[in-house]
Amino acid sequence: MTPSSPKNATLLSPSREGIERAAQALRAGELVAMPTETVYGLAGAGLEASALSKIFAAKERPTFDPLILHVSWPTPKDSASGVTDPLTELERRDLVHLEGWSPIAREIAQKLLLEFWPGPLTLVLPKHPRVPDLATSGLPHVAIRMPRHPVARALIEAAGMPLAAPSANRFGRISPTRAEHVQSELGERIGWILDGGPCEVGVESTVIRLGSKGEAQLLRPGGIPAAEIERILGCPLQAPPLQPIAGPSGSPGAQIAPGLLESHYAPRKPFFLLPSTLADLPENLASIRSFQPLFQLIRKPNARLGFLSSGPDTGSAKSVLSLRLGQEAVAHEVLSPEGDALTAAQRLFSLLRWLDESSASVLVAEPWTREIHTGLGHAIQDRLKRASARNQITL
Ligand code: TXA
Ligand code: MG
């Protein structure tokens, strides 16, 4: 008997019929991959435990890592009149429960949502009992976002319910920014992919947790620069807590900031992140102890190097590459030919995936060094670090 060939998911065009077909599948409890402005999400009925279980199973995601609920309705940005503010709408729809919240905390949440929704901001707020514990891994709060991708919004509205949607990749792997990435990650496991073309932002949403007194913690840097959020808050964001907390039943394991899992977004091949750009590194790298694991791999007889430069200067990078690492790359790409963070974020996951699928056997990247403290650069460098968590080089 020959093994049967793997089944692919059906690609749906983002037409009215495509969206309606996808919405039907969601209402029937099935999973659909949908485009958002950040990355593709693996969507399922957000308030149905059985659909949530399917998401965890398809991704092989541990149930201690909670999901984001995606919502959509007309906001004040869509139309000038006749719509309530997003926080009131979240309460009215029984998704969040803000008992004991100070007026100032409410005002902060309202301001953030009015400014950044729809868009790549996820807010973590106290959950309404109606939200299944499985969605939040037993935590008393729920992560919610309103994407700005028109196909995602149309799908959520056609489905008529909040959609839980983690990035549509297998757990720990590179996030998908095109429909074909989803096909190769999950095509055998899901029925439908809505193809909305390449994602515009390219890195996931910024996750902020708000407390009842208005305190705001940055749980994951992402598509909206922290500085823009701080401008609305009028004060700096707090660092995330380091300790996992227990769920309401005292169940251990759920982490308060699970987005901070150290290894994530990882290629399959060994992937090393340099401590500075190639040109800024000393010439005698092979003699530096922290570079030993990398040199052990690139000196193997059939080793082939894949390289991701951060900046524009590819021409000179090629010669510096031979000089510093002892060989040219069989696959070489530049994160942002113009050196800007917007392009780098857009291209990041796609290029990591391309390198992973190239003929290279060892992957090396330069760090991203622009807009690193407050801007989108923070999210790019965060993803590079987590993708290389097993192979970090320090000087
Ligand atoms: O841009 C995005 O946010 C994409 C698109 C598809 O919307 N989604 C996404 O989902 O990145 P996911 O599951 O890959 O990442 C969600 C992050 C995780 O790090 C998760 O641990 C965190 O949000 N999160 C979810 N619920 C949480 C909660 N109740 N408390 C703290 N962190 C939470
Ligand atoms: Mg993810």
Side-chain angles (χ1 to χ4, degrees), residues 293-377:
L294 170 60
F295 277 92
Q296 267 166 24
L297 286 181
I298 52 182
R299 283 178 173 164
K300 282 191 174 168
N302 291 322
R304 288 176 307 279
L305 183 64
F307 194 75
L308 187 60
S309 315
S310 58
D313 209 1
T314 27
S316 68
K318 270 189 185 146
S319 52
V320 184
L321 204 57
S322 315
L323 194 67
R324 301 286 195 280
L325 298 180
Q327 57 171 288
E328 287 202 1
V330 294
H332 186 173
E333 261 292 356
V334 185
L335 204 45
S336 171
E338 305 293 329
D340 67 295
L342 275 181
T343 312
Q346 255 171 15
R347 288 160 58 85
L348 175 67
F349 288 135
S350 205
L351 289 180
L352 283 181
R353 195 173 281 275
W354 174 79
L355 281 171
D356 212 17
E357 285 162 8
S358 72
S359 63
S361 58
V362 186
L363 311 182
V364 178
E366 289 182 319
W368 182 260
T369 53
R370 295 165 203 229
E371 297 174 47
I372 197 69
H373 295 299
T374 50
L376 196 53

Side-chain angles (χ1 to χ4, degrees), residues 39 59 61 166-169 173 175 204 220 264-265:
V39 301
K59 275 185 66 97
R61 178 174 172 126
S167 51
N169 50 277
R173 304 287 325 286
S175 303
E204 294 86 346
R220 178 177 71 182
H264 224 97
Y265 318 108

Side-chain angles (χ1 to χ4, degrees), residues 80-231:
S81 63
V83 282
T84 46
D85 80 89
L87 189 68
T88 309
E89 196 59 28
L90 285 173
E91 288 180 292
R92 197 183 70 76
R93 294 182 182 226
D94 291 343
L95 295 173
V96 304
H97 188 62
L98 302 182
E99 203 181 49
W101 268 44
S102 62
I104 182 89
R106 293 188 67 95
E107 198 187 318
I108 287 171
Q110 260 154 349
K111 271 195 197 164
L112 289 177
L113 295 181
L114 283 172
E115 179 75 20
F116 298 114
W117 275 14
L121 172 71
T122 295
L123 270 198
V124 175
L125 295 166
K127 86 175 186 78
H128 189 280
R130 189 164 82 105
V131 176
D133 285 339
L134 195 52
T136 68
S137 302
L139 292 170
H141 36 253
V142 57
I144 308 191
R145 103 173 178 95
M146 184 184 292
R148 73 162 173 251
H149 197 295
V151 175
R153 292 192 68 188
L155 180 64
I156 299 162
E157 292 181 27
M161 59 191 165
L163 300 180
S167 51
N169 50 277
R170 297 188 189 196
F171 183 69
R173 304 287 325 286
I174 305 170
S175 303
T177 52
R178 291 170 183 268
E180 57 265 32
H181 300 165
V182 182
Q183 189 69 276
S184 74
E185 287 282 320
L186 297 173
E188 296 164 35
R189 301 180 180 184
I190 61 176
W192 313 96
I193 301 173
L194 253 178
D195 186 352
C199 300
E200 169 205 343
V201 176
V203 291
E204 294 86 346
S205 59
T206 305
V207 183
I208 302 286
R209 177 163 177 241
L210 279 186
S212 62
K213 299 183 193 67
E215 61 281 28
Q217 288 166 337
L218 176 64
L219 299 190
R220 178 177 71 182
I224 295 186
E228 280 188 35
I229 295 169
E230 291 175 339
R231 183 173 55 78

